[in-house]
Amino acid sequence: MEDNQPQEKPVTQMETQSPVMEKILPAIHIKMDNQKQVTSGTTQDKATCNRCGIISSKEFSFFYGNTCGVKNISMDIYPCMVTAIIGPSGCGKSTFLRSINRMNDLIPHTRAKGRLEVNGINVYDKRTNLVNLRQQVGMVFQKPNPFAKSIFDNVAYGPRLQGIRKKSDLESLVEQCLKDAAIWDEVKDNLNKSALALSGGQQQRLCIARALATRPKLLLMDEPCSALDPLATTRIEDLIEQLKKFYTIVIVTHNMQQAARVSEWTAFFCLGELIEYDKTTRLFTKPGKKQTEDYITGRFG
Amino acid sequence: MKIGYRQAFDKTFTITAGLSVFLMVMALVIILGPMLSRGSKAVFFRGTVEFRKMQLAIFNHGSSDQVQAETARVEKAREPVYELLENFQIGIDVELLTDKTREIYRELGQQLRQMDVDRETYAAIRAKAKDIRDTLSDILESTDKDYVNQGIEVILKLSDDPDFKNTVAEQFFPLARMYGENVKNIDLTQRDQYIAALEEVKDALRKLFGPLPGESTPPMPKDRYGATRWDTAQQSLHQLLWAQAWVETKPGESLEKISVRRDDPQKGQFAGTSLEPLFSLVENNLDDMLQPEFTIYWRYFLDDWVNSHYFGGVGSEIIGTLLLTLLSMMFAVPLGVISAAYLVECADENMVVKIIRTCVNTLAGVPSIVFGLFGLAFFVLFLFPRLNMPSKPCILSAALTLSILVLPVIIRASEEAIKSVPQTYKEASLSLGAGRFRTFVTVTLPAALPGILTGIILSLGRAAGETAPILFTGAVAMGPQPKSLFDGVKTLSYSSLDIATGDRLAMMAPHKQYGVIMTLIILVLCLNILAIIIRWRVAKKLRGY
């Protein structure tokens, strides 16, 4: 319950905000609903939640020019769970992950086919508001990439984009996010220090805090621990464990132990195709496909 | 054996690298060293009393009491020189003497009328005086020494005449006596040559000590003062002491130029004359006559020039250069950064962008004079009249032309800098919901700033030093400081060109020419250092430690 406690704070804070702010921040309200549901929810609620996916993709394919990145992916990702995506290099894990918040748009000559929905919104619709989408879908990258600004400004970057300018609001929000990302105790004394002066693990947790600050519903993690040492990895994994109570997390990882440790669901990708998608315990103990078994036992890849 | 080779290679490489660095430094020293050392003479030199007088009169720098005391001292030291000159002149300058004789005669008439003497005496005295006058005039015109001596004797006999007692006519006799003395050692047939040589001597003396006593103030400030510097004083002294002459050494061969001291006992122009002691007097007492002191003329960088750089400093040029450089940067930097941002962030790699990029690269290699002519044709003659602005070269057109000149450099550097910002920075910002413009302004631009500043540093130096683009578009050699964007501007680069090509100033005051160049070098260096410090601070802030 101690972890839930801080989450109450932003709720009350948001409720007291002006109507103008409400208009600006639809994403936050969606998040708020989600949060209330979770914080007040029982295991029963969670179970009902699981049935409808927060991300649902149907026959989704993505192309780089003429090369196919992923093809015909059909899967649902359930809220308030950790979903791990594993697979050999170049199998389309990252492509799929980055399609969810359309980060692949940066690459020229790409196109998507099929349907990919986040919370009922078609991601690859021309009318989709990218800003709203990306504020709902936070992302943590492979390498820690804090901005060359102070720790405070790094975390406050997202909220400021949403129009939160009041210093006290920002301060409480930043503190909350840093606490959620389990880095508050390490940086609380020098929030004005440059983020680049932190260690790699700290930077990665700061990036997570920065992603949390936009109040997303979803957190995409693209191999968040690949550049970190085992100790920092442990801390991030602990963090994921705590965050999954409030956020839906999709994590791409090369480390099968990590997938087994942190995730509830696991998807196995190979050569751009989804081979198998199942509960983690089942996938790792009784894989349904030969390819999966080969991969997780280390006979292939 | 293989390792031996490798080590040898390694050593060779190190030595070559060290050598090339050393050569570069040496080249820099060889190029800049002489300029700086010569230019420093504009600031560090031995200034004479004339310099201090000039500074006080023109710029009102220095203490007036001290200068007055010094002036009194040097005037006392110079007195014998002028005395010698005047005495000699009496023997040579016939016209002056003739005038004087006539004047004495005229004054005598007036005096006699006032003295209330009777008619006969008056007529007698006048007749006698007239005789003296006529004889004197004859003597002065004659070139025959014997005739002159006889005439003088005749006149001097009359000196005891009681009629002339206490009259102006007494002045005839010292005049005649002095002329007789002077003429003794002079070849009267060569009088014209003496006059010419005397002019040279007087000229050199004017250069040394300023206008001769009794002369009116010259219109040009540079003629109002003597040698302000010890090195120019030495040159003028040489001019005073040595005469140039073309001599036929062997019959039938071309003439040879030789230098002869004017007071040389055998060949000197003034050998044996009453002027002879003047030369050694000046040579030996020049210190007392000019009172040289080591001077640090730091106001060189603040003072305006006087008499087209003959005196004064380069203050107005420094301000003009800074104004022009900063103005051109104000146009070029935003334009360049925006262009670079467009090329990197917005434009696809299509044909048009490739052509634009090629154009930018080509533009960087276009000779600067082409930009100057373009600026004249486009801004001054085409654009300004159509915008109802005065169609004349001005600081605005010069700044615009310079900004076009440096634009390719800024675009190239900014493009590289923006490209080198890690993609993950942009991704992080975009994933937080920022738009592309906001991402560029808040994330990409700050991260690219050190690289962009490098481009700005490069172009700052270029803009400050370029002459050709501003030659037709706004640089002026003289004139007041620009008061609006439509006035001409004085710059260091253009001034150095003007001094070098404009008149004989480069020869008369080489220290000023090199001084301008030295100032330009120092200015560009300071601008660069400033920009480097800013870049370092920005980079440090970005690094975070």
Side-chain angles (χ1 to χ4, degrees), chain B residues 148-419:
Chain B
V148 171
N149 286 335
Q150 278 169 19
I152 286 172
E153 263 173 46
V154 171
I155 293 168
L156 288 180
K157 266 177 203 161
L158 289 169
S159 64
D160 299 332
D161 198 317
D163 285 347
F164 291 138
K165 270 252 151 75
N166 300 324
T167 61
V168 187
E170 277 188 321
Q171 289 177 11
F172 278 130
F173 310 113
L175 199 79
R177 206 175 289 134
M178 204 176 286
Y179 183 67
E181 287 286 311
N182 281 330
V183 163
K184 260 180 213 158
N185 304 317
I186 295 173
D187 187 357
L188 284 177
T189 49
Q190 290 185 344
R191 189 182 263 158
D192 289 347
Q193 283 173 23
Y194 277 121
I195 290 172
L198 189 67
E199 262 326 301
E200 279 176 28
V201 169
K202 274 158 92 174
D203 209 39
L205 279 177
R206 273 190 212 110
K207 276 186 185 161
L208 270 176
F209 304 134
L212 302 177
E215 281 183 343
S216 59
T217 314
M220 297 278 269
K222 79 174 158 76
D223 300 331
R224 277 180 217 154
Y225 305 95
T228 52
R229 305 159 58 92
W230 190 242
D231 49 2
T232 48
Q234 292 296 330
Q235 281 172 18
S236 303
L237 181 69
H238 187 265
Q239 197 187 337
L240 178 72
L241 296 181
W242 297 84
Q244 308 283 333
W246 292 96
V247 198
E248 195 184 24
T249 42
K250 279 175 203 162
E253 274 185 34
S254 57
L255 297 181
E256 235 174 78
K257 194 179 180 183
I258 55 159
S259 290
V260 188
R261 253 186 92 111
R262 292 189 207 270
D263 59 349
D264 190 86
Q266 273 89 46
K267 292 184 213 149
Q269 282 170 323
F270 295 103
T273 66
S274 62
L275 200 64
E276 198 184 335
L278 179 135
F279 300 100
S280 51
L281 184 72
V282 173
E283 191 183 12
N284 296 330
N285 299 312
L286 197 62
D287 260 4
D288 292 337
M289 292 170 188
L290 284 173
Q291 307 255 343
E293 270 173 25
F294 182 72
T295 312
I296 300 175
Y297 180 31
W298 57 271
R299 281 180 194 275
Y300 179 74
F301 300 112
L302 302 178
D303 283 344
D304 206 343
W305 48 254
V306 173
N307 208 170
S308 60
H309 285 291
Y310 195 78
F311 292 140
V314 291
S316 56
E317 272 81 5
I318 291 178
I319 292 170
T321 307
L322 283 176
L323 266 180
L324 191 62
T325 311
L326 295 181
L327 201 62
S328 63
M329 285 297 133
M330 269 167 58
F331 293 122
V333 170
L335 216 61
V337 173
I338 290 170
S339 312
Y342 169 78
L343 286 174
V344 178
E345 297 279 327
C346 306
D348 296 331
E349 276 298 314
N350 57 23
M351 209 53 202
V352 179
V353 172
K354 271 178 193 156
I355 290 170
I356 291 175
R357 205 163 270 148
T358 316
C359 288
V360 169
N361 290 346
T362 315
L363 216 56
V366 170
S368 52
I369 188 76
V370 176
F371 283 103
L373 284 170
F374 169 78
L376 176 71
F378 181 69
F379 294 120
V380 180
L381 300 177
F382 175 79
L383 196 63
F384 286 1
R386 276 162 186 73
L387 296 174
N388 284 328
M389 295 195 283
S391 170
K392 61 171 190 187
C394 60
I395 185 168
L396 181 66
S397 54
L400 284 169
T401 311
L402 275 183
S403 67
I404 294 180
L405 177 83
V406 297
L407 205 52
V409 181
I410 293 183
I411 291 179
R412 288 282 300 278
S414 308
E415 221 184 324
E416 291 306 316
I418 293 169
K419 259 188 208 161

Side-chain angles (χ1 to χ4, degrees), chain A residues 12 44 62 112 275:
Chain A
T12 48
Q44 187 59 42
F62 194 86
I275 306 296

Side-chain angles (χ1 to χ4, degrees), chain B residues 78-146:
Chain B
R78 289 172 193 179
E79 227 164 61
V81 176
Y82 291 134
E83 233 165 63
L84 280 170
L85 190 70
E86 193 148 342
N87 285 345
F88 182 73
Q89 228 170 332
I90 286 170
I92 288 301
D93 204 340
V94 178
E95 267 174 52
L96 192 109
L97 288 177
T98 317
D99 285 349
K100 210 168 177 186
T101 319
R102 295 219 172 103
E103 206 185 305
I104 293 169
Y105 177 70
R106 222 176 300 130
E107 274 177 25
L108 178 72
Q110 280 169 6
Q111 201 183 16
L112 286 175
R113 236 171 277 144
Q114 284 163 6
M115 272 166 69
D116 195 23
V117 288
D118 58 66
R119 250 177 174 210
E120 278 172 37
T121 334
Y122 174 78
I125 295 174
R126 282 246 8 190
K128 261 191 259 175
K130 201 176 175 197
D131 271 351
I132 296 175
R133 190 196 74 181
D134 291 345
T135 322
L136 255 178
S137 298
D138 279 350
I139 292 167
L140 290 173
E141 270 165 39
S142 158
T143 54
D144 186 354
K145 256 191 191 172
D146 294 335

Side-chain angles (χ1 to χ4, degrees), chain B residues 515-544:
Chain B
V516 172
I517 297 290
M518 174 197 66
T519 316
L520 184 59
I521 293 170
I522 291 175
L523 187 77
V524 170
L525 205 69
C526 286
L527 281 177
N528 280 2
I529 288 172
L530 188 76
I532 286 168
I533 289 171
I534 293 172
R535 185 181 64 177
W536 182 70
R537 289 185 71 109
V538 169
K540 195 184 163 195
K541 207 179 148 207
L542 284 178
R543 260 201 333 267

